[in-house]
Amino acid sequence: MSAEQQDKNAVRVKGMGDGLCVMLDPDRPPDVLEEELTRVFTPLRHLAVNARVMLDFGDGEGGDALVGKLGDFLRDSFGVGEVARIARRGKNGPDERLRQRDMDQSWHHYRSDVLMLTGRVRSGQKVTARRHLLILGDVNPGAEVAAGGDIIIMGSLAGTAAAGQTDDLESIVLALDFRPTQVQIGPVMAAGLPASPRPFPEYAHVEEGGIVVEDYIRANPFGRLPWPEVR
Amino acid sequence: MEGKIIVVTSGKGGVGKTTATASIGAGLAMEGKRVAVVDMDIGLRNLDVVMGLENRIVFNVVDAVKGKCKLAQAAIKDRRINNLFLIPASQSDNKNVLIPEDMVRFGETLKAEYDYILMDCPAGIERGFENSVAAADEALVVCMPEVSSVRDADRVIGLLYARSITPKLIVNRIVPEMVERGDMLSHEDIVDVLSVDLIGLVPMDDNVIVSTNTGNPLVLQKESKAGAAFLRIAMRVNGRTDLPIEVPRAQGKFWKRMGTKFGLGK
Ligand SMILES: Nc1ncnc2c1ncn2[C@@H]1O[C@H](COP(=O)(O)OP(=O)(O)O)[C@@H](O)[C@H]1O
Ligand SMILES: [Mg+2]
């Protein structure tokens, strides 16, 4: 990849509801980032004025210091409104106030990406969600549910569930009564899971390349996260 | 007269659709209604055999639908039960000779003539099924206490809901001893999965085979538990929704009354 190409990739912008989300590589020097911001913001003209801007530094370290500097730059050069950083899992700075602000902002700026259904999915029926799928009801044997992200069944899952389609290994499948015919997360598949003696909430996730099913209450996988995150 | 068309279906074959159609049809006729049972299993007809009317067939349902004969010419009057008529399937045709639009039209003709029309649906979910449900107002889904039968019933129930038909469930061929030993699905297990209203539970009963072989209606056999169960289903179909559902018991002697939990008539 040429140096110029790399600089281009240092800043990308995408529309986000009523604001702009800007992805930056915090490992690039600040002046390169400013240059790149100029490149992507200039064509936006009046669209940038008073726009809310969320800076996304990905999983990279050290973005916090940049937020103020680049925020000032964007306000001065393009008249944007609020500038804030998107909260990222476990990578936030120690500043409680900043963290609280990031968290609040993240609620405002994300659109729901969940398909929520009530009722029973019957044999031969298939439900597919672009991202997360939430069903208040049961999934019968012979039925199929699939999602780009997580699958949550508030009832019994007796059919086939494919989460994280097609390659997201972070996705989970959770059901109050977990007895699927088959579970798939990303490309990883499991079948013939031993039946539990009585219904209780269990969830499947990928660990070291294999599907692991655990007691959801006991494992409490997301209870360890210190504050709510957008999933 | 504005009759009601009820399709008897299951997805899977051999679960008792034909037996149920003949028996419930007879039961409704015994309630004083004018009833037609229609064999929609084109090419594999057997409702006529079960009813002991096979040697009376001249015209069949395909002839009637296609206008090759009058409805009255295709309808065979039962020998023993008044007001009961059979419209037999054709034996030679392919089931694709009929299309759902034909059946909707034919349904209107039938409804003008009968109080209840029961359609004995063939196995499968293809054209034969489409034809059978095309004109249906209501549906009875027959299911056996067997995982594969429940699966097929579930599939069919989904297809019926998709056509805005709310089905009612018959669980047939229950062996109470096996249910009590835990070797057979109980009707509660089945209703849990299918979540539709139950309209009757029918035990396994040797009289069914005797009846089929002799052409003597099951519902007229006093000692037949299956016959009694189908009679009660017929009464519920005919509006007696207060009639409790009886659960077949082992020990043979008594029936347990089930509460109104699975009550019908919403
Ligand atoms: N309750 C019952 N007890 C015993 N045998 C039954 C019962 N119901 C149906 N059968 C038998 O099961 C077989 C299939 O029944 P049938 O009514 O022809 O099913 P379908 O029309 O669904 O294919 C027949 O041999 C019939 O005699
Ligand atoms: Mg049959």
Side-chain angles (χ1 to χ4, degrees), chain A residues 120 122-125 140-142, chain B residues 151 154-155 192-195:
Chain A
R120 180 175 295 274
R122 296 181 183 277
S123 178
Q125 295 178 335
N140 276 1
Chain B
R151 183 82 65 103
D154 194 29
R155 177 90 176 102
D192 262 0
V193 171
L194 299 180
S195 69

Side-chain angles (χ1 to χ4, degrees), chain B residues 77-122:
Chain B
K77 194 176 171 334
D78 193 78
R79 284 176 298 166
R80 292 180 187 76
I81 298 171
N82 267 333
N83 292 326
L84 178 61
F85 296 84
L86 164 71
I87 301 173
S90 65
Q91 189 68 293
S92 51
D93 290 301
N94 177 298
K95 62 184 161 197
N96 292 336
V97 296
L98 297 182
I99 58 170
E101 289 75 15
D102 288 340
M103 291 308 297
V104 172
R105 219 173 2 84
F106 185 54
E108 293 307 315
T109 316
L110 286 168
K111 286 206 236 188
E113 202 61 41
Y114 300 96
D115 296 310
Y116 286 104
I117 301 102
L118 300 188
M119 298 273 179
D120 183 10
C121 183

Side-chain angles (χ1 to χ4, degrees), chain B residues 14 16-19 39 41 44 46-47 120-123:
Chain B
K17 291 180 294 294
T18 300
T19 308
D39 192 344
D41 208 344
L44 284 172
N46 52 30
L47 187 54
D120 183 10
C121 183

Side-chain angles (χ1 to χ4, degrees), chain B residues 164-181:
Chain B
S164 303
I165 302 172
T166 304
K168 301 221 161 116
L169 181 69
I170 297 170
V171 182
N172 184 30
R173 306 186 67 152
I174 297 172
V175 184
E177 294 79 8
M178 289 183 73
V179 176
E180 271 160 40
R181 282 202 308 270

Side-chain angles (χ1 to χ4, degrees), chain B residues 9-10 12-21 41 46 50 120-123 142 144 171-174 202-210 212-213 218 226-227 230:
Chain B
T9 182
S10 69
K12 202 176 174 62
V15 304
K17 291 180 294 294
T18 300
T19 308
T21 304
D41 208 344
N46 52 30
V50 169
D120 183 10
C121 183
V142 186
M144 271 163 51
V171 182
N172 184 30
R173 306 186 67 152
I174 297 172
V202 183
M204 187 74 109
D205 181 353
D206 288 345
N207 288 303
V208 174
I209 293 150
V210 176
T212 304
N213 290 340
L218 188 64
F230 280 125

